[in-house]
């Protein structure tokens, strides 16, 4: 399939980059909230989150980077969410509902019995929704004062996405978890579904979903307030694509490449064979009908970006190269080997971003094989890209990820959520790469995680992000995610004792590094 022509737009490069925000040096930690310690099955927005912020402050850090905070679906990946706007109910601190009388300690006993060193998503799926239902029913009866504002006002403020999302989740439960395109024909169509008697029949279930979102956003705002008082900013994450089985696709099918009769994707997203997978990565997300987005001034995208900045201070947009050209895999497909590069919206979308949000601080995830046109797009936008130290070794001195090739308008990582821990990577790397690391950095390799942390701090890149597993020098068992692996991801959790352990001398040393390298 030939590459499509670009959408009609002003292709003339701007006189100056559209965005030019990353001017100060700083450092931070990448840790998804589910990896926080605690006794509720996974990390939640509780005192452990605040203790982590205390550590960041003590270490002289300025940033906490999280992965997408949306409600996870199949595979438990935060990059495959049921909504681009909603929050993940698993992150709600249910212990905070005991005091107001919405839950009891006995109610939480099942969660407390779950493992504390890994996340059992199957158990959470069985336990947490029922507890949220219990809390909602008691909230209806007691109407206690909660520190999250007025529930009805919250629903009105977020109605533009919350109404469709809550109805979608209620319908999904009603149809035993079936994907929305497998619902009855009169419900598959969102406009028809709004006129269905099911809307009234499921009113209580819809309100329960809304209540969970009220709790999520209320508690997250308390965490953000705690971050602000400590001088910590939150770096959020926005996946370029949405899940096929999502409220976004159900409520806005005209914005995606879906069959108008069956609503099945006509083609799906992914990437061709690369560093991570010989078969490429078949993500399965529906692709955008970019002309439809352009026709209304990218209204859905602007709403999504505004929602992201309402939750975070800085937003990393995943798979930036997909805005220049994306890998279109015709459906059905079993691997990502068969596909074609298709032109995306390019600079036109980012012009719309700047017009609507001129002060937006965006990071471009520009990893992978980059063409000249992708590099031009990043330069024209002015967005900082990413550099990953694990990708630097085994080649020649021209490798752009080597420290001597770094540029200031960049975020440098030892590794990201998709990489192994630094120790795990080093132990599995070919000897050629390990030898290159040792000769280049003049190290023995015996303390490789901290070697990379120091290199990141010393890097000319203005922002350095390290992962919490690297601060603990942990091996592959602490890896967040393995791309193209269907299960077993996003399960690692830090122990409270380990978080406490690095809050002393380790934090002091990181503060010294920040002073040495002006971070």
């Amino acid at each position: 399939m030939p590459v499509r022509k670009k959408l009609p737009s002003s292709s003339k490069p701007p006189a100056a980059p559209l965005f030019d925000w990353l001017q100060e040096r700083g450092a931070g930690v990448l840790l998804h909230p589910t990896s926080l310690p605690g006794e509720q099955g996974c990390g939640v927005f509780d005192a452990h989150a605040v203790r982590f912020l205390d550590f960041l402050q003590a270490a002289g850090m300025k940033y906490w980077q999280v992965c997408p905070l949306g409600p996870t679906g199949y595979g438990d990946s935060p990059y495959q969410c049921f909504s681009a706007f909603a929050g993940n109910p698993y992150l709600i601190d249910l212990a905070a509902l005991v005091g107001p009388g919405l839950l009891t300690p006995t109610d939480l006993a099942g969660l407390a019995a779950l493992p504390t060193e890994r996340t059992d998503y199957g158990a959470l799926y069985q336990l947490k929704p029922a507890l949220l239902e219990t809390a909602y029913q008691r909230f209806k009866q007691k109407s206690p004062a909660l520190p999250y504002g007025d529930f009805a006002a919250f629903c009105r403020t977020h109605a533009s996405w919350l109404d469709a999302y809550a109805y979608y989740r209620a319908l999904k439960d009603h149809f035993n978890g079936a994907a929305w395109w497998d619902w009855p024909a009169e419900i598959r169509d969102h406009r028809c579904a709004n006129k269905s008697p099911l809307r009234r029949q499921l009113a209580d279930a819809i309100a329960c979903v809304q209540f969970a979102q009220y709790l999520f956003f209320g508690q997250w705002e308390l965490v953000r307030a705690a971050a602000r008082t400590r001088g910590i900013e939150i770096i959020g994450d926005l996946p370029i694509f949405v899940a096929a089985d999502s409220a976004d696709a159900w409520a806005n099918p005209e914005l995606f490449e879906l069959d108008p009769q069956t609503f099945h994707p006509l083609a799906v997203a992914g990437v061709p064979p690369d560093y991570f997978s010989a078969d490429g990565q078949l993500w399965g997300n529906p692709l955008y009908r970019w002309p439809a987005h352009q026709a209304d001034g990218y209204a859905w995208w602007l709403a999504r970006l505004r929602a992201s900045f309402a939750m975070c201070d800085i937003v990393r947009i995943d798979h930036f190269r997909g805005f220049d050209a994306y890998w279109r895999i015709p459906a059905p497909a079993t691997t990502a080997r068969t596909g074609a590069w298709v032109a995306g919206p390019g600079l036109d979308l980012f012009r719309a971003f700047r017009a609507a949000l001129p002060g937006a601080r965006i990071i471009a995830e520009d990893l992978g094989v980059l063409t000249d046109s992708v590099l031009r797009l990043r330069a024209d936008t002015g967005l900082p890209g990413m550099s990953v130290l694990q990708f630097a070794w085994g080649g020649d001195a021209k490798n752009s990820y080597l420290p001597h090739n770094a540029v200031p308008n960049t975020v440098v990582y030892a590794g990201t959520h998709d990489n192994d821990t630094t120790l795990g990577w080093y132990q599995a790397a070919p000897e050629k790469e390990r030898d290159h690391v040792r000769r280049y950095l003049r190290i023995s390799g015996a303390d490789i995680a901290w070697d990379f942390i120091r290199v990141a701090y010393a890097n000319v890149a203005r922002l350095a992000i390290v992962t919490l597993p690297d601060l603990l020098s942990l091996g592959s068992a602490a890896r967040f995610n393995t791309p193209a692996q269907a299960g077993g991801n996003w399960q690692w959790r830090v122990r409270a004792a380990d978080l406490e352990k690095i809050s002393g001398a380790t934090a002091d040393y990181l503060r010294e590094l920040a002073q040495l390298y002006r971070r």
Side-chain angles (χ1 to χ4, degrees), residues 148-179:
Y148 316 127
D150 181 71
F151 174 48
F154 169 84
C155 292
R156 290 192 298 270
T157 299
H158 296 274
S160 60
W161 63 266
L162 183 58
D163 287 354
Y165 171 70
Y167 191 18
Y168 162 84
R169 291 304 299 264
L171 285 167
K172 192 166 183 62
D173 288 343
H174 179 74
F175 293 116
N176 300 313

Side-chain angles (χ1 to χ4, degrees), residues 237-491:
D237 202 333
L238 190 156
I240 183 174
F241 298 114
V242 304
D245 190 7
S246 67
D248 310 289
W250 176 61
N252 308 282
E254 71 281 359
L255 298 179
F256 301 91
E257 282 198 52
L258 303 176
D259 185 288
Q261 307 302 321
T262 66
F263 295 109
H264 291 167
L266 297 172
V268 295
V271 289
D274 61 6
Y275 172 90
F276 290 110
S277 173
D279 285 329
Q281 297 177 46
L282 182 65
W283 298 334
N285 308 78
L287 298 169
Y288 296 108
R289 294 188 188 275
W290 282 115
H293 288 267
Q294 188 182 50
D296 68 2
Y298 303 103
W300 182 87
W301 265 97
L302 293 179
R304 188 183 184 197
L305 200 63
R306 289 190 185 98
S308 295
F309 278 107
M311 295 179 66
C312 304
D313 302 289
I314 300 167
V315 173
R316 169 192 178 272
I317 299 184
D318 196 42
H319 197 56
F320 173 81
R321 74 145 301 144
F323 294 111
D324 176 72
Y326 54 91
W327 188 244
R328 185 181 187 276
I329 307 163
T334 57
T335 76
R337 286 182 174 275
T338 303
W341 289 109
V342 178
L347 198 60
D348 195 48
L349 176 64
F350 291 92
R351 285 196 169 101
F353 285 174
R354 189 184 67 169
L357 295 161
R361 293 184 289 169
I362 299 171
I363 295 169
E365 187 276 289
D366 58 345
L367 304 176
V369 179
L370 304 181
T371 63
D372 289 343
S373 61
V374 177
L375 296 175
R376 281 195 302 272
L377 178 61
R378 190 188 62 197
D380 289 343
T381 61
L383 299 179
M386 291 173 53
S387 179
V388 178
L389 293 175
Q390 289 185 21
F391 295 161
W393 317 104
D396 60 29
K398 296 179 182 179
N399 186 312
S400 62
Y401 297 118
L402 283 166
H404 66 260
N405 291 322
V407 296
N409 192 33
T410 302
V411 185
V412 62
Y413 298 78
T416 73
H417 63 275
D418 280 335
N419 295 101
D420 203 343
T421 66
T422 297
L423 176 59
W425 166 82
Y426 184 76
Q427 291 174 335
E431 177 56 25
K432 179 182 178 182
E433 294 183 23
R434 294 198 300 268
D435 176 67
H436 190 188
V437 171
R438 293 190 296 266
R439 289 186 294 110
Y440 186 98
L441 299 181
R442 297 183 64 82
I443 60 172
S444 69
D447 198 11
I448 190 67
W450 278 97
D451 291 330
F452 271 36
I453 290 168
R454 285 188 294 272
V455 169
Y457 266 73
N459 199 289
V460 69
R462 294 193 180 110
L463 181 52
I465 300 293
V466 300
T467 67
L468 191 60
D470 278 356
L471 292 178
L472 295 164
S473 294
L474 297 177
S476 298
R479 182 172 184 160
F480 293 127
N481 178 56
T482 302
Q485 177 178 296
N489 293 315
W490 307 105
Q491 294 183 2

Side-chain angles (χ1 to χ4, degrees), residues 70-78 80-82 90 121 169 172 243 245:
T72 53
Y74 311 107
D76 312 310
S77 171
Q80 293 280 359
C81 293
F82 288 129
Y90 289 164
Y121 288 100
R169 291 304 299 264
K172 192 166 183 62
D245 190 7

